[in-house]
């Protein structure tokens, strides 16, 4: 699949954008007119730079408001078009995007439109240019891709075809199956963008909230499957308008964009395989390649089985050690060659890392996941352009496959075991003498704060590299503003990762000031809390008003309610079960949560999140 991206997706100058696209590995680019107009580079210099970088110049865009106009305006539009065709000749480009008219169309007549577009096609042919006509979702008279294709057929000119844009099609909920009926020779270009499902006018939605494939909620694999079945072989190019992307680091955004197309290519191949037509099914045994466009796939991996460990890095570890001990974790000793400690409770393992942590406040630094084949999983992640994390090892030490997440959290892919144990724990020794613990515990979920400019990137990273499924996002009120919360989890819920986008006023230093936490699941939370109290644990103190509200909502048994209040426990219930949990005080940017899931409760106590945010805010500002 030939990959492309519109320069409008990225921040910076045209030169910087082109360099970033080449570094990310794109085959070609669409030049957005404003990027060229504002560039000091001449068209000839742009052409040479593209050639030197190995980038094709695939599309010039946009040409707006051409059709459905009066004769006088048509004459002016043809003059404007000829100037662009001459410019494209200097650039060495042969395809231009023409959008359906939004502003100047006054005549709703397909015969007239076809006649005027035919004149444009004749002029384009004289200059060796192909016109890709696109139905904008908010077009005045033409806003449906099937309508646009009917006009292509009416024009019937070799230099006039259509552009299929996933946003304009999927934002209007148009059926994508008819794409397969379009003559592939008349599909001149394909643009893709994802987006969250929002209730707002489509123009604002398009201009501010498009994201890269895998970062929204559109069925892009299905869209691309129909495009492939139609026989299209040209570029598949990203056209994303997003305020955040256009403020972010250009090279990093380009890499994120390329990752999204690699992921989309794989997902489209999967969709085609699972939605094969009868004719295609008959050809399966004969040929792997059944369509003109061959889609590459990645090494196949299963979703992770569970958390292997969580790592907190700090310079001064005394408070962390005290907190874990009060929760009931046991100190298993220091690593024999590294300045790190291991603390365990059942199968919940926490590493405290003092290496290269000078003056560092405690913060979550790494997560380990059990996977079937760490080497294959790492190879997949690297093909998705995840940076590799190097880890020094000596003889007889476990070799971890490490990659870096967008927020710099290190992700280690570990060899899973049937009984949930970890082979690397033998590298630690000389811990405290303690009786055998009968507490059963696992890491239930981890909550990570995401920098504002990398939130969407993180969603795609965990979706594509770790096979976690994004759930519908929620917005949780806090004293600092709304916190956007995105749950990523495995199908069985054994791995749950919560990504939080901090409020805007904390955005610049989210990793330094916005709190993150690790949650541990136990079988009996009340007993765990009572034991923690006897060890002097400082609980997050919950207001009495909360328990009055809790009683009003659930009509709990008075004795049970009194226990919750006494121990600062929070409670939630739904049709499937119950959820008990409590929070510790915060150390650095880290706190811990202990939870108990009863029945088939599958949530996170969302109604209690505003209480936690408010108490933590008050505690932070008091100190």
């Amino acid at each position: 699949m030939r990959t492309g991206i519109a320069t409008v997706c990225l921040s910076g100058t045209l030169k910087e954008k082109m360099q970033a696209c080449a570094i990310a590995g794109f085959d070609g680019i669409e030049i957005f007119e404003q990027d060229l107009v504002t560039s000091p580079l001449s068209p000839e210099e742009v052409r040479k730079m593209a050639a030197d970088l190995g980038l094709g110049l695939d599309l010039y865009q946009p040409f707006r408001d051409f059709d459905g106009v009066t004769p006088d305006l048509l004459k002016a539009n043809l003059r404007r078009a000829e100037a662009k065709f001459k410019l494209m000749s200097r650039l060495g480009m042969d395809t231009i995007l023409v959008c359906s008219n939004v502003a100047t169309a006054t005549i709703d007549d397909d015969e007239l439109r076809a006649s005027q577009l035919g004149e444009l096609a004749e002029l384009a042919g004289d200059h060796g240019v192909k016109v890709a006509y696109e139905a904008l979702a908010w077009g005045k008279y033409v806003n449906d891709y099937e309508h646009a294709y009917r006009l292509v057929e009416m024009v019937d000119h070799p230099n006039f075809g259509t552009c299929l844009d996933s946003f304009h099609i999927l934002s209007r909920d148009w059926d994508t199956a008819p794409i397969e009926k379009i003559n592939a020779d008349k599909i001149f270009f394909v643009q893709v963008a994802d987006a969250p499902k929002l209730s707002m006018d489509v123009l604002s939605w398009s201009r501010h909230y498009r994201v890269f494939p895998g970062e929204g909620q559109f069925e892009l694999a299905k869209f691309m499957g129909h495009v492939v079945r139609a026989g299209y072989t040209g570029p598949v190019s990203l056209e994303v308008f997003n305020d955040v992307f256009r403020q972010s680091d250009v090279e990093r955004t380009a890499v994120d964009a390329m990752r999204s197309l690699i992921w989309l290519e794989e997902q489209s191949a999967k969709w085609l395989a699972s939605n094969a037509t009868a004719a295609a099914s008959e050809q399966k045994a004969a040929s792997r390649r059944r369509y003109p466009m061959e889609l590459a796939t990645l090494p196949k991996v299963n979703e992770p089985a569970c958390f292997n460990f969580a790592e907190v890095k700090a310079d001064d570890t005394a408070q962390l050690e005290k907190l874990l001990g009060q929760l009931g974790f046991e100190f298993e000793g220091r690593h024999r060659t590294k300045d790190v400690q291991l603390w365990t409770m059942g199968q919940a393992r926490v590493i405290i890392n003092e290496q290269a942590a000078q003056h560092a406040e405690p913060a979550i630094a790494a997560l380990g996941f059990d996977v079937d084949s760490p080497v294959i999983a790492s190879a997949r992640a690297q093909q998705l352009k995840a940076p590799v994390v190097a880890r020094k090892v000596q003889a007889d030490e476990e070799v971890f496959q490490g990659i870096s997440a967008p927020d710099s959290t290190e992700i280690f892919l570990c060899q899973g075991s049937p009984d949930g144990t970890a082979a690397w724990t033998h590298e630690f020794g000389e811990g405290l003498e303690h009786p055998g613990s009968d507490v059963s515990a696992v890491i239930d979920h981890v909550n990570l704060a995401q920098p504002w400019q990398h939130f969407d990137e993180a969603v795609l990273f965990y979706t594509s590299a770790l096979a976690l499924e994004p759930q519908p996002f929620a917005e949780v009120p806090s004293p600092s503003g709304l916190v956007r919360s995105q749950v990523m989890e495995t199908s069985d819920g054994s791995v749950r990762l919560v990504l939080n986008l901090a409020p805007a006023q904390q955005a610049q230093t989210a990793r330094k000031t916005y709190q993150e936490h690790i949650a541990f699941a136990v079988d009996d939370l009340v007993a765990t809390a009572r034991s923690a109290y006897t060890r002097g644990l400082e609980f997050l103190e919950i207001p009495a008003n909360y328990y009055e509200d809790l009683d009003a909502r659930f009509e709990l048994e008075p004795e049970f309610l009194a226990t919750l209040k006494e121990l600062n426990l929070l409670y939630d219930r739904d049709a499937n079960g119950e959820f008990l949990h409590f929070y510790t005080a915060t150390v650095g940017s880290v706190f811990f949560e202990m939870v108990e899931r009863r029945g088939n409760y599958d949530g996170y106590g969302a109604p209690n999140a505003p209480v936690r945010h408010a108490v933590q805010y008050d505690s932070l500002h008091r100190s």
Side-chain angles (χ1 to χ4, degrees), residues 3 24 36 118 152 184 203 213 251 555 561 575 613 616:
T3 59
L36 180 66
V152 169
L203 178 57
E251 289 188 12
E555 196 177 358
L561 182 64
H613 283 295
Q616 288 176 329

Side-chain angles (χ1 to χ4, degrees), residues 190-468:
V190 169
Q191 295 173 321
V192 291
D194 209 337
K197 294 290 183 70
L198 300 173
S199 297
M200 63 189 307
D201 71 276
V202 70
L203 178 57
S204 298
W205 188 13
S206 171
R207 285 289 175 260
H208 302 284
Y209 297 101
R210 296 196 202 189
V211 288
F212 296 131
E215 298 175 357
Q217 296 170 284
F218 284 167
E219 291 187 275
L220 288 180
K222 179 180 178 182
F223 166 82
M224 275 304 304
H226 291 310
V227 169
V228 172
R229 281 183 183 170
Y232 177 72
T233 59
V236 177
S237 186
L238 296 163
E239 188 194 43
V240 171
F241 298 87
N242 185 292
D243 298 340
V244 172
F245 294 172
R246 286 180 282 188
Q247 298 177 61
S248 304
D249 178 79
V250 61
E251 289 188 12
R252 183 161 178 169
T253 305
V255 168
D256 182 34
M258 190 65 210
R259 178 185 296 125
S260 78
L261 283 184
I262 295 169
W263 174 86
L264 178 59
E265 188 170 5
E266 179 193 45
Q267 296 304 305
S268 301
K270 287 182 178 179
W271 186 91
L272 285 167
S274 60
N275 293 273
T277 62
S281 296
E282 292 173 3
Q283 298 174 30
K284 268 188 177 181
S287 173
R288 175 175 169 270
R289 178 175 178 174
R290 302 185 300 278
Y291 305 103
M293 180 188 290
E294 185 171 13
L295 299 174
T297 56
L298 298 167
K300 294 181 180 179
V301 295
N302 295 325
E303 59 189 17
C306 62
F307 285 98
N308 187 285
F309 67 86
E311 178 184 302
V312 180
K313 180 174 283 191
D315 181 11
D316 184 352
T317 66
Q319 286 182 289
L320 282 173
E321 295 173 33
K322 179 181 178 181
L323 194 57
L324 288 171
Q326 290 170 333
L327 284 172
F329 276 78
E330 297 163 345
F331 176 58
E332 302 293 349
R334 291 183 171 274
H335 194 273
R336 63 192 183 202
T337 63
K338 300 178 177 64
D339 199 7
V340 298
Q341 308 172 32
L342 173 62
W343 292 74
T344 67
M345 178 190 287
Q347 292 182 347
R349 292 177 282 271
V350 176
I351 292 174
I352 298 179
N353 188 345
E354 302 169 70
Q355 299 183 108
Q358 189 174 7
H359 308 305
E361 289 290 317
I364 297 174
L367 298 173
F369 297 93
D370 278 356
V371 297
D372 287 342
S373 175
V375 173
I376 294 177
S378 177
R380 174 186 173 85
Q382 289 177 52
Q383 287 187 40
L384 286 159
K385 299 191 175 292
V388 174
V389 172
R391 178 179 179 268
K392 293 181 180 179
V393 294
Q394 296 189 14
D396 300 325
E397 292 182 358
E398 188 81 3
V399 178
F400 286 156
Q401 302 293 325
I403 54 176
S404 180
D407 67 351
S408 299
T409 300
E410 295 179 347
I411 304 298
F412 290 102
L413 306 168
C414 311
Q415 184 65 60
S417 61
D419 59 0
T421 58
W424 53 267
T425 57
H426 76 274
E427 299 170 21
F428 294 79
E430 299 181 4
L432 298 177
E433 291 293 330
H434 52 72
S437 173
D438 58 356
V439 177
S440 174
V442 296
I443 296 177
D444 183 85
H445 64 273
V446 177
N447 184 307
L448 297 174
Q450 300 300 302
W452 63 274
Q453 68 272 43
H454 303 314
F455 186 85
D456 294 310
E457 180 185 356
V459 172
L460 175 60
F461 171 85
Y462 287 109
T463 299
S464 60
L466 277 186
L468 300 183

Side-chain angles (χ1 to χ4, degrees), residues 326 524-537 539 559 562-564 566-567 569 582:
Q326 290 170 333
D524 187 341
L525 188 75
V526 172
T528 300
R530 290 199 186 281
S531 297
Y533 260 111
T534 64
R535 301 187 192 99
L537 177 69
F539 286 66
E559 184 177 348
T563 298
L564 296 178
E566 173 198 355
L567 299 174
L569 306 185
F582 71 79

